[in-house]
């Protein structure tokens, strides 16, 4: 502690001495410029020396007032230069006023000229100090030689972070496809050329790490660059998400290995924060299935909009406990309600809704695994149909304002029990919307990367074990989104609800599962079909080669958000739906599989036909 105080005092005194010399030197130079003849110069210098203690004291006081001596000049920038100009200007004005009031012999032209000299010399002294520290730091710096791909705003921010902190990474230069930047330097680092120069640059400068700093690039560009980087056999990391750079807040810990979602990346979701805040902020929000992949992300993002109370509800105590602890840590100011409950328990669900009376409900609880639900259709019906029915009725009784059902593309022309039960869930909320004051809507989207039901973690595990990676069919295609991306659009869609809509999220282009598998093998630094075998196992029960987002009857209409569409409502027999729901509810514990399929055939047109085609 004493050592720090001594060092601080030595630094302060040293800067005072330097500035004392600079102020005197500036005024002397101003006199030399003003009076060319020695006969005129000497008497005026004598006059200056008589009043110089007051002048120096004024300037040093101004420097202290503007906190020049509390600046860390090792990181000096435009802000520090502006402070110097303000301090010197204030000192000069005070000197002019005093000489006018006291009648001191100090020409105003001398003050004006010295103003420029002081700024120049003061700024130069601080810049020289920064350059000295920079040279010393670079000469002592050791670590991995690092090449940055992208010399735009993000790349520059990464380079600054690497240079200003002892990260163990030493930037050697940039790669950029813009020919206007070639052979130029950014932050004293050269721009070597376009992506074709990556391999040559890596070898020439002994590069050990490549950072892809192109957060606004599309998946095609990232994939091409990654393929080039992979050939160098060097470590590759990426700076994800342009939205993370809004405040220029780039940190080394944001850099991570390239993931499959980077190769499937689309433009970032743009949200209307005013719309979202309007229906979540200050309200009680309840999320079912809150421990799942989608449910937990809904919790995180909903908490960010500052609800009055966030109620997390789920059946699995471990997953609910995990998200509860996370929310307590990240959102200390958001009150939380925690409920361990099964949506199939009508009495418990009703009591929870009466206890909290939520204004907004996101219903994410569901069985989602297609093959498992083929073997256990009764469980799919109990959770996806009766569970939804229970939550819908409870929300209606509690006076919920908005209810958002998380649906799936497998509900379109369903060929599986899971898809058919989710389609029934959609019909339930559309039916309820006709008689309730609650706005019931559904949001339909495809697979999400990283979820428990996604193929991505399965492929990762298979690659770790050395293969084979199992793909059901070479023509199998699926839509993919990242979990945060999907949830952002779900929350945005909820703000657009008028009641009864089925919102469709823009999923981009479908991806071949076999191509996904190949990309993941390459991301692991291995070669498909050489290091890791890809094995085709055949289509599983209930699966289709290609999922759809709309039926022919639904069509689609645009909304105010370019990534969200709304399906046109389809007419269905409400009386028949209610009749079958009552039957399922009354016989839930002993219902036969054949009866379940018969009911699904009855309510959902062409369900049997699509299944027959699949089998055939």
């Amino acid at each position: 502690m004493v050592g720090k105080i001594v060092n601080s005092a030595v630094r302060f005194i040293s800067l005072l001495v330097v500035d004392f010399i600079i102020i005197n030197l500036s005024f002397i130079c101003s006199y030399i410029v003003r009076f060319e003849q020695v006969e005129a110069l000497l008497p005026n210098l004598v006059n200056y020396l008589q009043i110089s203690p007051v002048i120096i004291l004024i300037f040093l006081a101004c420097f202290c007032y503007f906190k020049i001596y509390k600046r860390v000049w090792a990181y000096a920038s435009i802000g520090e230069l502006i402070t110097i100009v303000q301090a010197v200007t204030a000192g000069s004005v005070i000197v002019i006023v005093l000489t006018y009031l006291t009648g001191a012999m100090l020409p105003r032209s001398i003050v004006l000229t010295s103003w420029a000299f002081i700024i120049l010399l003061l700024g130069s002294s601080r810049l020289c100090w920064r350059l000295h520290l920079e040279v010393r730091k670079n000469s002592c710096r050791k670590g991995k030689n690092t090449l940055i791909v992208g010399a735009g705003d993000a790349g520059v921010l990464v380079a600054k972070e690497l240079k200003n902190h002892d990260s163990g990474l030493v930037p050697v230069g940039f790669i950029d496809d813009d020919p206007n930047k070639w052979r130029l330097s950014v932050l004293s680092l050269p721009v070597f050329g376009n992506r074709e120069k990556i391999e040559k640059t890596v070898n020439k400068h002994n590069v050990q790490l490549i950072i892809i700093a192109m957060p606004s690039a599309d998946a095609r560009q990232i994939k091409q660059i990654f393929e080039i980087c992979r050939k160098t056999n060097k470590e590759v990391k990426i700076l994800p998400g342009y939205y993370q750079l809004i405040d220029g807040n780039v940190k080394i810990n944001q850099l991570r290995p390239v993931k499959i979602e980077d190769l499937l990346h689309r433009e970032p979701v743009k949200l209307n924060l005013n719309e979202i805040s309007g229906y979540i902020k200050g309200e009680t929000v309840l999320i079912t299935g809150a421990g799942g992949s989608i449910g937990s992300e809904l919790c995180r993002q909903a908490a960010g909009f500052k609800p009055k109370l966030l109620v997390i509800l789920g059946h699995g105590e471990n997953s609910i406990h995990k998200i509860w602890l996370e929310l307590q840590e990240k959102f200390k100011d958001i009150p939380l309600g925690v409920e361990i409950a099964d949506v199939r328990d009508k009495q418990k669900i009703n009591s929870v809704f009466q206890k909290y009376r939520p204004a907004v409900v996101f219903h994410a609880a569901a069985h989602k695994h297609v093959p498992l639900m083929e073997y256990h259709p009764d469980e799919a019906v109990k959770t996806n149909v009766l569970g939804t029915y229970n939550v819908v009725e409870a929300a209606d009784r509690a006076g919920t304002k908005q209810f958002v059902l998380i649906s799936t593309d497998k509900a379109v022309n369903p060929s599986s029990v899971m898809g058919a039960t989710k389609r029934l869930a959609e019909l339930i909320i559309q039916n309820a919307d006709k008689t309730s004051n609650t706005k019931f809507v559904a949001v339909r989207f495809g697979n999400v990367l990283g979820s428990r039901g996604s193929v991505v973690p399965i492929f990762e595990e298979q690659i770790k074990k050395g293969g084979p990676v199992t793909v059901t069919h070479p023509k199998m295609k699926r839509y993919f989104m990242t979990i945060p991306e999907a949830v952002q659009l779900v929350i945005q869609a909820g703000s657009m609800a008028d009641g009864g809509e089925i919102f469709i999220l823009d999923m981009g282009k479908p991806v071949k599962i076999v191509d996904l598998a190949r990309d993941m093998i390459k991301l692991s630094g291995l070669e498909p079909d050489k290091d890791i075998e890809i094995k085709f196992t055949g289509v599983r029960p209930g699966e289709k080669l290609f999922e759809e987002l709309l039926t022919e009857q639904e069509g689609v209409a645009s909304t105010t958000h370019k990534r969200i569409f709304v399906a046109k409502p389809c007419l269905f027999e409400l009386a028949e739906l209610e009749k079958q729901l009552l039957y399922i509810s009354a016989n839930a514990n002993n219902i036969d599989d054949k009866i379940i399929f018969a009911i699904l055939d009855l309510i959902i047109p062409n369900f049997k036909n699509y299944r027959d085609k699949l089998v055939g």
Side-chain angles (χ1 to χ4, degrees):
M1 184 67 180
V2 175
K4 289 183 179 180
I5 294 173
V6 171
N7 289 336
S8 180
V10 169
R11 177 183 181 275
F12 178 66
I13 292 169
S14 300
L15 288 173
L16 281 179
V17 172
V18 170
D19 292 348
F20 175 86
I21 295 170
I22 285 173
I23 295 165
N24 273 308
L25 186 60
S26 297
F27 272 92
I28 291 170
C29 289
S30 299
Y31 273 99
I32 292 172
V33 172
R34 173 69 174 78
F35 301 102
E36 297 179 0
Q37 300 299 323
V38 177
E39 295 80 5
L41 175 62
L42 291 177
N44 279 285
L45 278 176
V46 171
N47 289 333
Y48 165 70
L49 291 174
Q50 291 174 350
I51 61 173
S52 62
V54 177
I55 292 173
I56 292 169
L57 188 61
I58 289 170
F59 276 100
L60 292 179
C62 287
F63 293 171
C64 289
Y65 177 79
F66 282 91
K67 300 180 180 178
I68 282 180
Y69 300 117
K70 292 187 177 181
R71 298 274 178 167
V72 181
W73 295 102
Y75 305 113
S77 61
I78 297 297
E80 280 68 31
L81 178 59
I82 291 172
T83 302
I84 288 174
V85 172
Q86 290 173 336
V88 176
T89 301
S92 299
V93 169
I94 293 171
V95 168
I96 289 174
V97 172
L98 284 179
T99 54
Y100 176 77
L101 294 175
T102 60
M105 297 297 291
L106 185 65
R108 292 178 188 175
S109 60
I110 294 293
V111 180
L112 294 174
T113 308
S114 65
W115 173 85
F117 274 120
I118 294 172
I119 290 174
L120 178 63
L121 294 175
L122 203 66
S124 299
S125 68
R126 268 51 174 188
L127 178 61
C128 288
W129 178 247
R130 175 176 175 173
L131 290 174
H132 165 70
L133 292 176
E134 193 74 25
V135 170
R136 190 174 71 176
K137 186 194 296 182
N138 289 335
S139 63
C140 300
R141 187 189 293 271
K142 292 181 180 180
K144 293 182 180 179
N145 284 353
T146 303
L147 180 65
I148 301 170
V149 181
D153 293 340
V156 171
L157 289 169
V158 169
K160 278 184 180 178
E161 184 75 3
L162 297 184
K163 293 182 78 173
N164 291 339
H165 295 85
D166 187 14
S167 60
L169 305 177
V170 181
V172 299
F174 296 92
I175 291 291
D176 200 285
D177 287 337
D178 184 356
N180 295 319
K181 296 178 182 177
W182 298 348
R183 296 188 178 87
L184 299 178
S185 63
V186 180
L187 298 177
S188 302
L189 297 171
V191 180
F192 295 112
N194 63 10
R195 66 183 71 176
E196 303 301 327
K197 298 288 180 69
I198 290 176
E199 204 164 355
K200 180 181 177 182
T201 304
V202 167
N203 295 329
K204 184 177 179 181
H205 295 274
N206 191 28
V207 170
Q208 296 164 281
L209 173 67
I210 304 171
I211 295 175
I212 301 174
M214 302 170 61
S216 59
D218 59 30
R220 182 182 56 83
Q221 291 175 302
I222 296 294
K223 194 170 183 177
Q224 289 172 352
I225 290 170
F226 175 74
E227 285 292 335
I228 295 170
C229 295
R230 198 172 67 87
K231 293 175 183 176
T232 66
N233 293 319
K234 302 299 181 183
E235 186 181 3
V236 183
K237 290 192 174 183
I238 191 168
L239 181 71
Y242 195 80
Y243 48 87
Q244 295 182 11
L245 306 177
I246 291 173
D247 299 322
N249 186 23
V250 174
K251 291 184 173 61
I252 298 304
N253 59 14
Q254 290 176 320
L255 298 172
R256 57 163 174 76
V258 180
K259 295 181 180 179
I260 190 62
E261 49 259 46
D262 299 311
L263 307 186
L264 300 175
H265 170 75
R266 292 180 296 280
E267 64 175 300
V269 175
K270 294 180 181 177
L271 301 178
N272 187 325
L273 299 180
N274 291 331
E275 283 185 356
I276 293 173
S277 296
Y279 86 103
I280 290 181
K281 187 176 181 180
E283 299 284 6
T284 297
V285 178
L286 185 147
I287 297 170
T288 71
S293 306
I294 295 295
S296 59
E297 183 63 21
L298 274 167
C299 292
R300 295 181 193 100
Q301 293 196 24
F305 292 104
K306 299 190 180 303
K308 179 175 70 175
L309 173 67
L310 179 61
V311 183
I312 57 176
L313 183 150
H315 190 214
E317 62 168 331
N318 290 328
S319 57
I320 290 296
H321 185 254
K322 184 178 179 182
I323 187 63
W324 180 34
L325 293 179
E326 181 185 333
L327 293 172
Q328 283 182 316
E329 176 65 26
K330 290 183 179 178
F331 303 97
K332 293 181 173 63
D333 57 334
I334 303 298
L336 299 174
V338 183
E339 295 291 335
I340 302 298
D342 189 340
V343 293
R344 303 192 294 190
D345 186 340
K346 184 173 184 177
Q347 187 175 350
K348 178 65 181 285
I349 291 299
N350 194 54
S351 67
V352 168
F353 272 77
Q354 291 302 315
K355 176 181 176 181
Y356 295 105
R357 294 194 172 273
V360 181
V361 173
F362 292 100
H363 179 42
H367 283 318
K368 305 178 181 73
H369 289 275
V370 171
L372 280 177
M373 293 305 101
E374 289 298 302
Y375 298 126
H376 302 281
D378 57 329
E379 294 299 314
V381 168
K382 288 175 188 176
T383 298
N384 295 356
V385 179
L386 295 183
T388 299
Y389 194 44
N390 292 339
V391 178
V392 164
E393 284 193 324
D396 179 43
R397 291 192 195 99
T400 296
K401 295 177 184 177
Q402 278 160 298
F403 183 108
V404 181
L405 166 71
I406 308 300
S407 190
T408 172
D409 54 0
K410 294 172 180 62
V412 181
N413 296 325
S415 60
S416 65
V417 172
M418 194 281 273
T421 54
K422 291 298 284 183
R423 177 56 184 155
L424 275 185
E426 291 180 352
L427 295 179
I428 288 168
I429 65 107
Q430 286 186 310
N431 183 31
D433 186 74
K434 295 180 181 299
T435 57
S436 174
N437 292 325
T438 302
K439 294 178 180 178
F440 288 97
V441 298
V443 181
R444 189 188 287 167
F445 55 90
N447 298 273
V448 286
L449 293 165
S451 73
R452 293 174 186 171
S454 170
V455 296
V456 172
I458 297 173
F459 286 171
E460 286 175 343
E461 193 63 30
Q462 290 174 338
I463 292 168
K464 283 180 185 177
K465 292 178 179 178
V469 172
T470 55
V471 178
T472 54
H473 194 283
K475 292 184 179 179
M476 183 73 70
K477 287 184 179 181
R478 289 293 182 268
Y479 291 101
F480 284 99
M481 284 182 121
T482 64
I483 294 174
E485 180 185 22
V487 169
Q488 284 174 337
L489 289 172
V490 166
I491 293 176
Q492 181 71 72
S495 70
M496 302 175 179
D498 287 326
E501 300 100 332
I502 296 178
F503 290 104
I504 314 295
L505 304 188
D506 172 17
M507 300 291 295
K509 294 181 179 179
V511 177
K512 273 190 174 183
I513 301 300
V514 67
D515 290 342
L516 182 73
R518 288 196 176 102
D519 285 339
M520 290 188 65
I521 293 169
K522 290 177 182 177
L523 283 171
S524 302
L526 303 169
E527 287 295 332
D529 303 316
K530 181 180 177 183
D531 301 316
I532 298 286
E533 178 192 0
I534 295 177
K535 183 178 179 182
F536 296 104
T537 57
V539 178
R540 298 177 300 178
E543 281 188 329
K544 291 190 286 186
L545 292 181
F546 182 82
E547 296 291 358
E548 305 154 278
L549 290 170
L550 287 164
T551 65
E552 291 181 6
Q553 294 80 17
E554 284 176 323
V556 67
S558 61
T559 67
T560 54
H561 195 289
K562 67 177 183 178
R563 300 280 299 277
I564 302 173
F565 302 90
V566 61
K568 297 173 184 176
C570 293
L571 298 176
F572 54 92
E573 183 56 53
L574 297 181
E576 186 62 38
L577 173 65
E578 291 177 349
K579 175 184 173 183
Q580 297 303 330
L581 286 174
L582 288 172
Y583 176 82
I584 295 172
S585 181
N587 299 277
N589 293 324
N590 55 4
I591 194 167
D592 185 78
D593 288 357
K594 291 181 180 179
I595 295 175
I596 290 174
F597 283 108
I599 292 172
L600 295 177
D601 289 340
L602 186 64
I603 300 177
I604 302 172
N606 293 322
F607 174 58
K608 186 175 186 302
N609 293 337
Y610 280 106
R611 289 182 65 82
D612 290 343
K613 285 181 183 178
L614 197 64
V615 173

